[in-house]
Amino acid sequence: MSGQFLAKVPKGWILLACIGLLALNLRGPFVAVAPVVDLMQADLGFTPVLLGLLTSIPVLCFALAAALASLTTRKLGAEFAVSLTILGVLAGVIVRSAGGPGPVVVGTVMIGLAITVGNIAVPLIIRRDFSPMRQGTAMGVYTAALNIGSFLTSMVTAPLAELAGWRVALAAVGILAVIAIVFWTLAVGARTAFVPSRTVVAGGQGHPAVKGSGWITAGLTAGFAGQAFSYYAVTAWLPSYLNDELGMSASAAGAGSSLFQIFAIVGGLGVPFAAKYFSTTTTAVTVGLLWTAVPGGLLLAPELWWLWSTFGGIAQGGGITLIFIAIIKLARDQVSAGRMSATVQGLGYCFGAVAPPLVGFVHDASGSWTPALLVILGSVLMFFVCTTLAVRLVPKGR
């Protein structure tokens, strides 16, 4: 890709493509562990608890390091923060695939911390560099790419591990990081990408202070907590539910649960489109109803699991998009947007981290999936109510 070619392409398109490439790296590296856990356990002798931590560590990083990631983005610049994210993911992937149990854990922590920076930086870049009319679309592309990365990684890792081993399969995720850093460097320039900015992240659309902004932040935080808890609980336990309740084989249950992941692309791209023609409240209610159909549908009509998985996929992709759109449109300035995003994600992901073990404990203690699904229903309703109340001040089409 030459500089002359880039000069002919609209800047917004280039930036949007880079955001998409970055997003491919923000979920796939830790989703890749699930398909090869048995091989890793046989090779490294990991206990089931430690194997579970390999997928929980990144989510814990999202929760515990969000404030530090926000500070990093403000002090070093958003472009450098993106470079730090991509290179951190690449380094973590290499370390994780290089040795025994120690490097696996250290590499996983590196990946989690790097992705946390990206989680904070991307909404700020979208808020700063896209017009208000295009911010929702950019956020939808970002969310869709997150789920595309998860889906592709889940589909490719197991077959590759059978051919070349789990280390090669996990290392192969780094190819996406290499592609992303090359395009990012070409797009923003080497100096901008790799030299920290000495000024606080600035720019973006300035908005008047929103009345009750503290309550809005609290509502978005509670809504994101419900979203994260529901997402990680369903992701972790839907295959087991399909196996136990409907007698599906492990491979069929895994393939069936992929509907929940792939249809998130529809939600991520559909919410910005809907928000242009309907009120944000209407959009939030629609997403909430689709989310409620997952635990409610599995409780009342489990044989229609494919329909509930489809609805849930649309809802989980649309829910996170809706919350991020609210953050970038309701925050007064870039600094406020960064702090709001760190608060919402930091506290919200705490709930996401505890979802799989808590739901698993409820299921084991009761010997039934009904109480576990009721717990998920409670978290979905928290998302529904809190998000709907918090986003009602976002004007249609702004």
Side-chain angles (χ1 to χ4, degrees), residues 10 15 52 63 81 87 110 136 140 144 156 158 161 163 167 174 190-191 209 234 247 259 262 272 280 312 355 357 365:
L15 182 58
L87 294 177
M110 293 171 63
V156 170
L163 292 174
R167 285 187 172 86
R191 181 175 180 83
V234 173
L259 291 174
I262 196 63
T280 313

Side-chain angles (χ1 to χ4, degrees), residues 19-74:
I19 287 173
L21 288 172
L22 169 64
L24 293 178
N25 292 275
L26 297 188
R27 294 298 180 270
F30 70 87
V31 171
V33 172
V36 296
V37 288
D38 292 338
L39 297 175
M40 295 178 70
Q41 185 174 26
D43 192 14
L44 301 175
F46 278 175
T47 65
V49 173
L50 188 52
L51 284 172
L53 280 176
L54 293 182
T55 54
S56 297
I57 285 173
V59 185
L60 288 171
C61 289
F62 299 168
L64 301 178
L68 179 61
S70 178
L71 180 64
T72 300
T73 302
R74 292 202 310 270

Side-chain angles (χ1 to χ4, degrees), residues 203-227:
Q205 300 291 324
H207 299 152
V210 178
K211 184 178 180 180
S213 58
W215 287 108
I216 291 174
T217 300
L220 291 176
T221 301
F224 193 85
Q227 160 83 18

